[in-house]
Amino acid sequence: MTEAKKTAKLELDGETYELPVYSPTAGPDVIDIRKLFAQAKVFTYDPGFTSTASCDSTITFIDGVKGELLHRGYPIDQLAEKSHYLEVCYLLLYGELPSAAELEKFEQTITRHTMLHEQMQNFFRGFRRDAHPMAIMVGVVGAMSAFYHDSTDPNDRKQREIASHRLIAKMPTIAAWAYKYSIGQPFVYPRNDLDYASNFLRMCFAVPAEDYEVNPILSRAMDRIFTLHADHEQNASTSTVRLASSSGANPFACIAAGIACLWGPAHGGANQACLEMLEEIGTPDRIPEYIARAKDKEDPFRLMGFGHRVYKNFDPRATVMKQSADEVLELLGVENNPKLQVAKALEAEALADPYFAEKKLFPNVDFYSGIILEAMGFPTSMFTPIFALSRTVGWISQWEEQLDDPQLKIGRPRQLYQGETSRDYVEIENR
Ligand code: ACO
């Protein structure tokens, strides 16, 4: 923790309290209120954490006004263009870009951990065929703690590292098998001669009856989707992982908690919700009706894939994703796909509408990722699992960082209680 160079003053009931103010290496100053309750006997109120920093971190930084996303200081657009997912995983986990030898060793380690304990297949087979793959992922990842006992102790550094590698390595196998199970096809085992993204595509789309060749352009696009989703600061699912871990829970349980949180349509579920919305709109002539609904305060409908809590000018991931979408759709010859036509027209009409400009709402990464994934052949139900597998490294890096933090305490928010004060129990016959 840096030293406070200035203080903020809080005046309350005739008393003045001095609160330390820290200056981060980037981003706004942070007022330290940890001793506020002890000194002034008051809590602060910030549901949704819109003004609250929940931890110190050195991993990822977002400047929402500039539209900047940095991993360990490196801009996401440079990483998406010049690096690849496993190198970004190394960077997030260990803090620096690897040397060639370090990268080779890391890639080998991840590749060698991609198989699942054979008995885990019984878990998959226990689900209904129509189970959402996210439901399967929450269950199977949580169940990893019942299979990999030698890497569940968060107080043992070596065990932590093994758990990190296992999670990054096995998540594509888990996601692909959740998909295979849902369509009634045999599970496809990972292959060590393929890179991370190609291996995932093969496990999703190959069948034992035929050879399967991975298209390098699709594999590159897949890798880029993984890279663009690798980490994103203290978002809802990452904060969930940190909160779960603050009690000392094992890594697999913490990541399962993160997957559960990511599932919601306001977070990782937005790419599925966005594609479903494009399908529902159907044709560009219906767009004004949906824009009017999004603007109507009485209607809960929102334009899915639009808006972001932190980015208020543009989402730098969306810029790269849009470019990738153009490449992939051209390669696959589906530029005239009706959903894509609706997406393009919707983007143009919403961006030209003063409501969206005033509220700083513009397409986020999920607006384009769903379009690419659909063109690649993934059903909408697989969009969020792909996000979860990409984000696993971010969750794990933040989890590791938290466990090394000497200030770690169990996360335990306070509340503004608005309920009844103490009253006596009333017997049922007297109510
Ligand atoms: N469509 C229409 N109006 C919107 C939208 C939208 N997509 N998003 C926000 N607004 C409006 C709200 O109604 C609100 O209006 P008001 O000030 O008149 O009440 C204002 O913009 C601010 O919205 P909040 O919900 O307060 O903003 P918040 O920062 O809490 O929410 C969120 C961000 C959840 C992403 C929101 O924009 C949303 O629901 N978007 C659609 C879902 C989505 O795409 N999520 C993906 C996020 S990115 C990710 O997880 C990778």
Side-chain angles (χ1 to χ4, degrees), residues 340-415:
L340 183 67
Q341 300 305 320
V342 174
K344 283 191 169 161
L346 177 62
E347 181 189 8
E349 286 186 40
L351 290 179
D353 191 304
Y355 171 93
F356 293 90
E358 274 158 28
K359 296 197 184 300
K360 298 189 186 299
L361 301 169
F362 48 83
N364 59 48
V365 67
D366 289 328
F367 189 72
Y368 303 105
S369 64
I371 295 168
I372 307 183
L373 291 172
E374 191 191 59
M376 281 176 160
F378 287 104
T380 46
S381 61
M382 275 303 286
F383 295 179
T384 319
I386 289 170
F387 190 165
L389 95 79
S390 319
R391 182 57 56 81
T392 296
V393 68
W395 292 329
I396 281 287
S397 307
Q398 304 266 351
W399 168 78
E400 279 272 8
E401 181 180 71
Q402 173 172 276
L403 290 169
D404 275 340
D405 185 346
Q407 307 176 84
L408 173 61
K409 272 181 188 295
I410 187 165
R412 202 322 185 168
R414 302 293 195 150
Q415 64 176 4

Side-chain angles (χ1 to χ4, degrees), residues 84-87 90 100-114 192 194-196:
H84 63 275
Y85 183 65
L86 282 188
E87 186 176 61
Y90 186 100
E102 285 166 338
L103 182 60
E104 194 188 334
K105 186 165 172 248
F106 181 68
E107 288 185 336
Q108 264 184 18
T109 308
I110 297 300
T111 306
R112 297 243 164 85
H113 277 95
T114 47
N192 288 359
L194 293 177
D195 64 73
Y196 193 84

Side-chain angles (χ1 to χ4, degrees), residues 266-267 270 297 302-303 305-306 308-309 355 359 361 364 366:
H267 192 10
K297 286 269 149 268
R302 284 185 169 198
L303 281 191
F306 268 75
H308 199 274
R309 168 61 64 79
Y355 171 93
K359 296 197 184 300
L361 301 169
N364 59 48
D366 289 328

Side-chain angles (χ1 to χ4, degrees), residues 5-46:
K5 300 244 164 60
K6 52 185 177 180
T7 53
K9 286 193 176 61
L10 172 74
E11 285 188 2
L12 187 71
D13 300 333
E15 295 283 337
T16 303
Y17 301 96
E18 298 229 336
L19 303 166
V21 179
Y22 305 117
S23 294
T25 50
D29 285 353
V30 173
I31 302 173
D32 181 349
I33 54 159
R34 281 176 298 171
K35 300 214 170 93
L36 184 63
F37 178 64
Q39 291 170 351
K41 298 284 174 286
V42 287
F43 299 145
T44 56
Y45 181 62
D46 186 17

Side-chain angles (χ1 to χ4, degrees), residues 64-364:
V65 178
K66 276 205 253 167
E68 183 178 66
L69 167 61
L70 308 176
H71 290 325
R72 304 285 190 184
Y74 296 102
I76 190 64
D77 45 332
Q78 289 184 24
L79 294 172
E81 192 194 332
K82 300 182 179 171
S83 181
H84 63 275
Y85 183 65
L86 282 188
E87 186 176 61
V88 172
C89 287
Y90 186 100
L91 174 68
L92 289 168
L93 275 177
Y94 299 107
E96 295 296 335
L97 287 169
S99 66
E102 285 166 338
L103 182 60
E104 194 188 334
K105 186 165 172 248
F106 181 68
E107 288 185 336
Q108 264 184 18
T109 308
I110 297 300
T111 306
R112 297 243 164 85
H113 277 95
T114 47
M115 275 172 50
L116 291 180
H117 190 294
E118 196 65 4
Q119 216 175 313
M120 288 193 86
Q121 288 195 11
N122 299 341
F123 265 85
F124 286 88
R125 296 190 203 286
F127 286 95
R128 278 172 54 141
R129 291 275 177 197
D130 58 358
H132 194 288
M134 283 298 275
I136 300 184
M137 285 185 82
V138 174
V140 171
V141 172
M144 284 174 79
S145 42
F147 284 88
Y148 301 104
H149 297 290
D150 59 344
S151 54
T152 51
D153 181 358
N155 300 315
D156 180 323
R157 253 173 202 291
K158 191 68 206 158
Q159 290 203 25
R160 263 157 54 182
E161 190 173 33
I162 298 170
S164 306
H165 293 163
R166 280 191 169 132
L167 278 158
I168 295 167
K170 294 184 198 304
M171 206 59 97
T173 316
I174 294 171
W177 284 16
Y179 172 52
K180 283 297 198 195
Y181 183 74
S182 72
I183 54 171
Q185 286 188 2
F187 298 131
V188 175
Y189 287 92
R191 282 236 324 243
N192 288 359
D193 58 332
L194 293 177
D195 64 73
Y196 193 84
S198 304
N199 205 11
F200 176 63
L201 288 173
R202 189 178 164 278
M203 286 191 287
C204 288
F205 297 124
V207 287
E210 280 177 13
D211 287 339
Y212 178 81
E213 284 241 346
V214 184
N215 182 319
I217 298 183
L218 294 190
S219 156
R220 175 77 190 121
M222 190 77 255
D223 189 86
R224 207 174 256 180
I225 289 178
F226 294 159
T227 302
L228 291 175
H229 288 91
D231 192 40
H232 214 228
E233 232 208 41
Q234 309 310 321
N235 56 82
S237 56
T238 302
S239 298
T240 301
V241 170
R242 281 186 179 257
L243 196 56
S245 149
S246 75
S247 71
N250 77 66
F252 306 112
C254 296
I255 301 303
I259 297 172
C261 177
L262 187 78
W263 193 356
H267 192 10
N271 49 14
Q272 172 171 351
C274 175
L275 247 275
E276 285 165 358
M277 174 191 76
L278 295 176
E279 198 160 86
E280 191 186 313
I281 298 176
T283 46
D285 59 301
R286 296 188 63 205
I287 289 172
E289 180 195 326
Y290 281 81
I291 290 199
R293 282 188 61 196
K295 287 158 57 173
D296 180 357
K297 286 269 149 268
E298 303 303 312
D299 189 330
F301 174 77
R302 284 185 169 198
L303 281 191
M304 286 293 136
F306 268 75
H308 199 274
R309 168 61 64 79
V310 184
Y311 296 120
K312 297 297 174 198
N313 271 323
F314 67 95
D315 177 343
R317 302 166 303 169
T319 315
V320 183
M321 198 67 92
K322 187 177 184 185
Q323 205 186 331
S324 213
D326 288 340
E327 278 169 31
V328 169
L329 297 170
E330 196 191 322
L331 171 85
L332 298 172
V334 289
E335 304 103 305
N336 295 327
N337 169 311
K339 268 180 232 148
L340 183 67
Q341 300 305 320
V342 174
K344 283 191 169 161
L346 177 62
E347 181 189 8
E349 286 186 40
L351 290 179
D353 191 304
Y355 171 93
F356 293 90
E358 274 158 28
K359 296 197 184 300
K360 298 189 186 299
L361 301 169
F362 48 83
N364 59 48

